[in-house]
Amino acid sequence: VFLSGPEEVKSQERCAQLRKRFQNAVAIEMEGEGLYAASHARDIEWIMIKGISEYADGSSVSSDAWRRFASVMAASLTVN
C-alpha cells in the first residue's frame, strides 16, 4: 500500500504517525492524489509508475546516481 497526499513527509515523527494509522503502508508519494482527482473527474483510466528514490524519515541517503537509477527503472516498465 502506498499512501498519497498533499504533503512532503520529511520527519521521523510524521512517518511514525502515518505508520501507526496505516500499518500496511510501505511508501508515501505526493503526485498521485492530483492525478487521481483529475482523472476521476474526467472518467479517465490511469496507472502511476513511480521510481522510489528517497526515504521520508528526514535522512539524506539519496544521491543523483540513485535518483537516476530509480527513474530509469520506473521508465523501463512503460511501453508506448
Side-chain angles (χ1 to χ4, degrees), residues 47-51 70-80:
I47 185 171
M48 178 176 284
I49 299 171
K50 303 286 290 190
S71 65
V72 168
M73 292 298 101
S76 72
L77 297 173
T78 63
V79 176
N80 289 328

Side-chain angles (χ1 to χ4, degrees), residues 25-63:
V26 296
I28 305 167
E29 65 84 42
M30 295 172 34
E31 295 82 9
E33 180 187 35
L35 177 60
Y36 167 77
S39 300
H40 183 72
R42 290 165 182 79
D43 198 29
I44 298 171
E45 294 182 4
W46 61 278
I47 185 171
M48 178 176 284
I49 299 171
K50 303 286 290 190
I52 308 301
S53 63
E54 296 181 20
Y55 291 106
D57 64 0
S59 64
S60 182
V61 297
S62 186
S63 66

